[in-house]
Amino acid sequence: EKSDIAVYVEAMQSLLARFTWCVPSGYANSGDISLYDHSRVVASLASCLSDWDDTQLGNIEKNNAVVATFIEGDISGIQRFLYSVPMRGATKQLRARSLYLQLLTEVIARYILRRLGMPITNLIYVGGGHFYLIVPTGVDVNELRADIDRILLKHHDGELYVALGATELHTKDFTAHQFHEKWRELKQNT
């Protein structure tokens, strides 16, 4: 069953994180990248390319094909949400709201992945009110944004907002310099 596979993948990712977070990946002069991070990104790209046929995969490098979409989510309104607590019991409320924002950020990222049928490996980073995803090409970010905005508006009356940005990733974007440029482009789009 599909839910069993998702549970299995998440359990395997947790085990990989626990035991390989400090093991170098050993891939092409990248001693500062852990085996865990390298494997997770490779798995995310593999899931993005899983529906491609052999012809498309055979020509992927030659054509500098668009292989994935890089998405950033940024929750706005955090400062006002966190610090608009009454003085009495402020410490407890501040901790509770901080936890809530962390969970909300992760829930939004997982919501997007579930809507797109992607595994947890495609969640590259989540924390501090931000998340980064690698998803298949052709994703309508505006539709995702509208759905998330509608849900947040219903529950937070406009106090919290998620800015979503996206950029396409080509085969030649996976070098340190090129990926840095893509990251900058993503920040501008967000």
Side-chain angles (χ1 to χ4, degrees), residues 10-73:
E10 190 154 358
M12 291 303 295
Q13 182 172 329
S14 294
L15 286 171
L16 194 64
R18 181 172 181 196
F19 294 109
T20 64
W21 68 270
C22 63
V23 176
S25 69
Y27 179 76
N29 301 327
S30 61
D32 58 341
I33 299 173
S34 73
L35 181 59
Y36 167 67
D37 287 323
H38 176 77
S39 299
R40 197 166 40 97
V41 171
V42 169
S44 71
L45 290 171
S47 68
C48 290
L49 300 175
S50 64
D51 291 337
W52 289 33
D53 63 31
D54 291 341
T55 306
Q56 289 173 301
L57 290 172
N59 295 323
I60 200 168
E61 270 192 84
K62 183 175 74 174
N63 297 335
N64 191 26
V66 177
V67 294
T69 302
F70 193 26
I71 293 179
E72 176 186 17

Side-chain angles (χ1 to χ4, degrees), residues 4 39 100 174:
D4 292 339
S39 299
Y100 177 79
F174 291 94

Side-chain angles (χ1 to χ4, degrees), residues 78 81-83 92-105:
I78 290 177
F81 179 77
L82 280 177
Y83 298 113
K92 284 183 180 179
Q93 283 195 24
L94 187 59
R95 278 191 295 225
R97 285 179 178 225
S98 293
L99 175 63
Y100 177 79
L101 285 170
Q102 176 63 29
L103 293 173
L104 180 65
T105 306

